[in-house]
Amino acid sequence: MPKAVIVIVGITGDLAKRYILPSFYHLARHKKITDFSIIGIGTREITEKQIMNNMKGFLAKKDAAVLKKMEANLTYLRGDVTELDTFEKLKELVDEKKGKGHNNLLFYLATLPRFFVPITDNIRKTKLDKEVDGWSRIVFEKPFGDDGRSARELNKHVQKIYSEKQVYRVDHYLGKELVRNMAVLRFTNTMLEPVWNAKYIDHVQIHLHESLGVEERAKFYDQYGAVKDVVQNHMLQLLALTAMDEPKKLHEKNIRDRKAQALSKAKVTDCVFGQYKDYKKEPGISARSSTETFAALKVSVNTPRWKNTPFYIKTGKKLKKKQTLIYVQFTNSSCHLFDGYCPLRPNHLVISVQPDEGFYLTMNTKEPGTNNITQIKMDFRHENKFGPKTPAAYENVLENVLKGDQSAFVRSDEVEHSWDIIDPILKKKNKLHTYDHGDIPKAAKEMMKVDGRSWFI
Ligand code: BG6
């Protein structure tokens, strides 16, 4: 791993203490990074020791030597990121670290998106974007923009300062092991690709369920809602990986080209919005809030591969169980083998992103001693084959930035297309259906029923 100075803007925030700092800790513990310094910027009066203590609550195992080293390599800079003065002080610190051989510079913007422009302006003014003796990279947390127009403006602004090779737009779902596995699953198993199309696939469902409510993120969430929070990014990335055509090579550029192409052809044709019961009574939520905490969308992907095969997306807070999966239902063409009835359920492939990472395919078989047909599962459990631990998504994300691998990050055109898909539905006034905790709105069940289908979960 290259030696680097890592500047975390927003180091006192929730994201830094829950995900970013623990991931650096794990990378250091696994000796994936050995020589690094971290400079954290924030507005609070806080010491390096307190920052480390706040993070420790999110570590399962605490290795004293690694924690000590990390604390020794951490410098906190208190300042307002909209002020040039903060970046002049930062430059002095960075120069000092670079003097020690840490020549690469990584900015990780774990701040509110409204600070992206002033921060990058200050980076440019202090020339911290320049690649002198090493690389200079920048990581943006989501949301990148607020709609298609603002995402395009932000891309234009950033591209005046950085080249696309230096820019890493995080979608932590792309760091999840089973998501990283999707291109390999689809394109290296030759029996899948010939049937991965409208002729053999009846429809696809993508689910991202959460059992928790808004918790302590009420203020942020109430401005965004489910569609901007997880559909525009995580779920459309899952759709892109499922729908994309075969890339020339399993290489970051080719995969991103194919994902962008699929996203550019996707369109929402129906949607149901919901809000969980008593959401408006949650601390920090407006009593008149019309924010959706649930969304079910029907999406068409207008490419020859997917003509007439719909993609259904479903997400919500306060659902029964935390679970993310992709369900691919094959057509039930073998029914013509029977007279006037069909004893078969169609084959389906389930890619389970979390929990229970893995995938399984259902097949038909005869029950012994009878002529009945039953379905069995050909089941791959990640844990059984590779052990219980897969690296946390954020660990993969950070490791890839340091290595300069952009495959787990979203390119400018993908972000823009994703906003273009959801902008039209967000501009409409959508009816908001209340749903009980652990259930989904009736209208969402109805949406599938009218298509003669039902939700897998
Ligand atoms: C985040 C959303 O991007 O993803 C959260 O802002 C959501 O609202 C989270 O809870 C889900 O991520 P994961 O990895 O827990 O499935």
Side-chain angles (χ1 to χ4, degrees), residues 175-221:
K176 292 186 190 273
E177 195 52 43
L178 259 290
V179 179
R180 290 164 67 82
N181 206 350
M182 278 185 68
V184 172
L185 169 67
R186 280 192 54 198
F187 301 112
T188 65
N189 295 301
T190 48
M191 77 279 210
L192 284 182
E193 176 58 6
V195 296
W196 206 261
N197 52 49
K199 186 166 177 207
Y200 294 104
I201 292 181
D202 176 75
H203 75 281
V204 175
Q205 299 180 23
I206 301 172
H207 301 266
L208 191 163
H209 286 197
E210 297 192 87
S211 52
L212 294 178
V214 282
E215 312 302 303
E216 68 275 11
R217 291 168 71 235
K219 210 169 143 209
F220 165 86
Y221 191 86

Side-chain angles (χ1 to χ4, degrees), residues 142 172-173 176 210 217 229-230 234 317 322 354:
K142 75 175 216 350
H172 79 277
Y173 263 65
K176 292 186 190 273
E210 297 192 87
R217 291 168 71 235
D229 187 40
V230 297
H234 311 325
K317 301 249 183 219
K322 183 168 170 69
Q354 64 189 30

Side-chain angles (χ1 to χ4, degrees), residues 2-22:
K3 295 177 184 179
V5 183
I6 297 144
V7 180
I8 303 176
V9 189
I11 195 158
T12 57
D14 207 49
L15 188 74
K17 78 173 173 208
R18 264 175 204 275
Y19 296 111
I20 304 171
L21 288 169

Side-chain angles (χ1 to χ4, degrees), residues 56 67 152 198 236 249 252-253 266 284 308 327 375 390 447:
K56 280 181 202 161
L67 286 168
R152 283 183 174 84
L236 288 181
K249 292 213 181 292
E252 57 183 90
K253 175 178 180 312
N308 302 327
Y327 167 84
Q375 247 187 5
T390 58
M447 179 174 137

